[in-house]
Each structure stands twice: as C-alpha cells, then as structure tokens.
Amino acid sequence: MKRIVLLGLIAISLTSVGGCVTRAAKEAILTPKGFAVPTKPVGSKQDSYSKVQLEDFSNTGITTMPPNINQLLRDALAEKIADLKPKKAILTPGAARTLLVRGKYIYYEEAGGILNQAFGPFEEIIALVELVDQPSGKVAARGYCIGRTGTTRLQGPKRKAEGLAKAIIDFFRKSCKTPPPPE
C-alpha cells in the first residue's frame, strides 16, 4: 500500500512541475527566432552579393519603437552575418555587388504585466523589408520579416533585433543567390 501511495505522489509531482521544467529548459536553451515571408515573387536568383548595407528602417507610426532599434538591428545583422559558418554563408567574396536592405517597422510588442511573465512572455517585431540591388536600384525582393522572443531571458529590444536580423538573413537566402558550400 505504501508503494502505491508513494508512486501516486511521484506521478502527481512530476505532472504538476512539468510546465516549470519545460519553461526552465526554454529559458536555458532557446535563442531569438526569425521568420521571413516573401510577398513579391522572386524570379531567378541571378545576382550574388559581397556586401549587405542596412538603411535605417522607418516607423509606420502604429507602435512606439525604442529610439535605438535601427542601431541594434544594424549591429545584430553585422554580427549574425559574420558568425555564419562557411556552409551557411550568404555573401560571395568575389562578387562586386552590394545589397541594400531597407524597410518599415509595422509592429512592435513588448511583454508587460504579471500574466505575460507567468505564462511565458511573447515579444515580436515585424517589418516590411525590401532587398534592393544597389548598382541598379531594382527591388530584388519584398516581404515581411519577423523577430520573435518567447522567454524572460530573451526580452528586450536587443533580442528582438537579433531575431529580426535572423529573419533578414533567411529572407536573403530565399531571395538571392548564395555561394555554394565549400567541399
């Protein structure tokens, strides 16, 4: 009888703390996420680029943005591109072209309040992004990029900018020619 009671208590404790364990694992492991959804169809990926230049994004005025969000995005994008492994590189060193990234912030959300913190904060930034071939001025692609965070450790504008930088890199991969992986 004691064994059954003990097993029952263990089962109850394991099922009741499951959410806490999952949340703790997320806090320790996850990084900001980035998603890209192209809206302007991309023809063929003809051009390779050796440099990416980020133009300051404008705010549509729908939401209030942190004043330094453009600088945070610029720093995060440069860092993420520099940290890419050769197999996942997006820039071709021999190409003599520059890709201009410009856009507008559409939405910015911060997790606030006790309930958001208790059940897992959800923060995101959404931008309408254009990839422009700088020599010709032609828009190569247009789409939405979303930077998202879902843990307390990842809150704040810096982390959302990191997610948005990941989304811009994903958008670049979907829309532009990337170098072949090294052998």
Side-chain angles (χ1 to χ4, degrees):
M1 183 67 172
K2 288 182 183 179
R3 279 187 169 164
I4 293 174
V5 171
L6 183 61
L7 288 174
L9 288 174
I10 290 172
I12 290 171
S13 65
L14 287 176
T15 57
S16 64
V17 298
C20 295
V21 172
T22 303
R23 172 90 185 259
K26 284 181 183 178
E27 292 286 341
I29 297 170
L30 294 180
T31 61
K33 295 178 182 156
F35 309 95
V37 181
T39 57
K40 178 185 176 192
V42 179
S44 61
K45 299 178 182 182
Q46 295 179 2
D47 296 325
S48 295
Y49 297 93
S50 62
K51 185 178 176 190
V52 173
Q53 182 179 343
L54 183 73
E55 190 176 275
D56 282 350
F57 286 19
S58 61
N59 186 1
T60 58
I62 295 171
T63 59
T64 304
M65 305 297 283
N68 63 339
I69 192 71
N70 281 315
Q71 186 60 46
L72 291 172
L73 179 58
R74 185 174 283 108
D75 294 345
L77 186 60
E79 182 181 324
K80 296 287 180 202
I81 289 174
D83 289 347
L84 290 174
K85 293 182 173 39
K87 287 184 176 181
K88 296 193 175 203
I90 60 171
L91 300 177
T92 306
R97 302 178 84 80
T98 300
L99 184 75
L100 179 66
V101 179
R102 66 181 181 202
K104 301 185 239 195
Y105 296 113
I106 297 173
Y107 183 71
Y108 183 86
E109 178 181 3
E110 291 182 345
I114 193 76
L115 285 177
N116 284 340
Q117 299 303 321
F119 295 109
F122 178 80
E123 296 188 330
E124 70 181 358
I125 184 170
I126 302 173
L128 179 60
V129 177
E130 290 182 334
L131 303 179
V132 180
D133 181 65
Q134 198 172 34
S136 69
K138 180 182 171 194
V139 175
R142 183 177 296 121
Y144 293 96
C145 291
I146 303 158
R148 187 174 287 163
T149 62
T151 66
T152 304
R153 184 179 64 87
L154 299 176
Q155 287 182 330
K158 182 177 187 256
R159 297 304 194 151
K160 285 190 283 296
E162 289 173 12
L164 189 56
K166 284 182 177 181
I168 291 170
I169 290 171
D170 180 43
F171 188 39
F172 186 102
R173 277 197 185 100
K174 291 176 179 176
S175 306
C176 300
K177 190 175 182 181
T178 58
E183 294 180 20

